[in-house]
Amino acid sequence: MDRIKRNERLAALTRLLTEAPNRIHTLSHFCEMLGAAKSTLSEDIDILRDVFDTFGLGKLDTVTGAAGGVRFRPHMRREDAMAFLTGLCSDLQSSNRMLPGGFLYLSDILSMPEITRKMGTIIAGEFYDAAPDFVLTMETKGIPVALMTAQSMDVPLVIARRSSKVYEGSAVNINYVSGSAGHIETMSLSRRAVKEGQKCLIVDDFLKAGGTAKGMVDLMSEFNVEVVGTAFVMERAQQGHKLISNAKALMTMDVTEDGELTVKPADWL
């Protein structure tokens, strides 16, 4: 192989790191691939780290130890996240999006990969330190954002269903009380989907009273899995007691007695 120039190495490193987010790559692996010394590659990585930091393109971390290396983590600066969500709230703040039961129509937004990718990046950035082993969501509208979150964290996506499927083998089924409707519903998850002792991040589309989210927390307790966080795209402004606490929603919505809809970025942002 001909000697690879620095600009070529930087382009290759950028692609290799960003297409496998939150995964540790050893310098030895890059040395063999690019035919360069570790000292040279360390300089290249320092250049990329400065560029990523300057333009808010993510975080490039050096991990020490025997299994160490370099890791790219998708990350959005707080001001960029606020600008993105403020623009999104402006688009969502339309009375014709209101649905019966106090919900907001989000299906068109949640079907756009660029939007859900940014949502996943924001959520993942809040839970990297929690190091979940997988992301859990409930079918079906929460799947796109949960998938993008799982991609950013380089962990599997696990989907709880409303009924067990024969092609998933034996399953654990629980009954839970829907917080908004107040009636009993069923949640199912294959026994092979998760392992005892793992850690889980719950991601879903909408939080109203928290019944479904509480059901997922209870489902994880059946598997002896620790829930390290809960995140949502949208949260209904506080109206009475919610069944879960410490949830992080990207946006909050409120409806006045006159029927006026207000959607804004969450206060924690």
Side-chain angles (χ1 to χ4, degrees):
M1 179 185 293
D2 295 335
R3 184 176 181 274
I4 300 176
K5 299 178 182 178
R6 167 157 284 175
N7 58 349
E8 295 172 330
R9 288 199 308 273
L10 292 174
L13 285 170
T14 301
R15 175 62 186 272
L16 292 169
L17 290 166
T18 56
E19 73 176 2
N22 207 36
R23 188 178 304 173
I24 298 175
H25 302 263
T26 64
L27 287 182
S28 298
H29 171 68
F30 287 145
C31 289
E32 294 175 4
M33 178 181 294
L34 302 174
K38 286 187 178 181
S39 58
T40 301
L41 284 171
S42 294
E43 294 174 0
D44 294 343
I45 289 169
D46 287 339
I47 293 172
L48 288 179
R49 182 182 293 108
D50 292 340
V51 172
F52 288 176
D53 287 344
T54 299
F55 294 97
L57 302 177
K59 298 290 185 181
L60 204 55
D61 300 328
T62 300
V63 182
T64 59
V70 61
R71 171 180 60 198
F72 169 75
R73 282 178 163 176
H75 186 270
M76 191 179 295
R77 292 182 296 200
R78 192 55 57 91
E79 58 268 26
D80 294 335
M82 275 295 296
F84 161 66
L85 291 173
T86 299
L88 191 57
C89 289
S90 178
D91 294 337
L92 292 173
Q93 199 160 272
S94 173
S95 58
N96 60 14
R97 284 186 172 271
M98 284 299 303
L99 300 173
F103 294 95
L104 191 68
Y105 180 73
L106 296 172
S107 296
D108 57 337
I109 297 298
L110 297 181
S111 66
M112 300 179 68
E114 180 63 16
I115 290 178
T116 54
R117 182 185 62 81
K118 290 180 178 180
M119 289 179 176
T121 297
I122 297 171
I123 293 172
E126 298 299 312
F127 293 99
Y128 282 131
D129 291 341
D133 296 298
F134 63 91
V135 172
L136 174 70
T137 192
M138 183 71 183
E139 62 177 4
T140 56
K141 295 192 295 298
I143 291 175
V145 175
L147 179 62
M148 293 300 183
T149 304
Q151 181 188 41
S152 293
M153 307 190 88
D154 191 35
V155 297
L157 171 65
V158 176
I159 302 172
R161 303 190 182 277
R162 303 192 186 281
S163 61
S164 58
K165 305 295 182 182
V166 64
Y167 51 78
E168 293 187 336
S170 62
V172 173
N173 296 276
I174 67 167
N175 295 324
Y176 68 98
V177 179
S178 172
S180 55
H183 56 258
I184 302 296
E185 297 188 1
T186 302
M187 187 178 298
S188 174
L189 185 64
S190 170
R191 292 184 182 275
R192 305 185 186 192
V194 303
K195 298 178 181 178
E196 183 177 340
Q198 288 187 311
K199 294 190 291 185
C200 158
L201 170 64
I202 292 175
V203 177
D204 209 354
D205 64 319
F206 198 92
L207 175 65
K208 189 180 181 184
T212 302
K214 180 64 165 53
M216 285 190 277
V217 172
D218 293 342
L219 181 62
M220 289 297 96
S221 68
E222 294 291 326
F223 287 87
N224 291 320
V225 168
E226 178 188 359
V227 176
V228 297
T230 53
F232 300 86
V233 174
M234 184 74 66
E235 177 182 19
R236 183 71 186 263
Q238 186 67 37
Q239 289 187 343
H241 175 68
K242 282 187 170 63
L243 297 177
I244 63 170
S245 57
N246 301 321
K248 282 195 171 183
L250 299 180
M251 297 171 284
T252 60
M253 61 164 286
D254 193 14
V255 182
T256 65
E257 294 181 355
D258 298 331
E260 182 179 352
L261 173 66
T262 302
V263 183
K264 63 179 183 178
D267 293 336
W268 64 268
L269 285 162

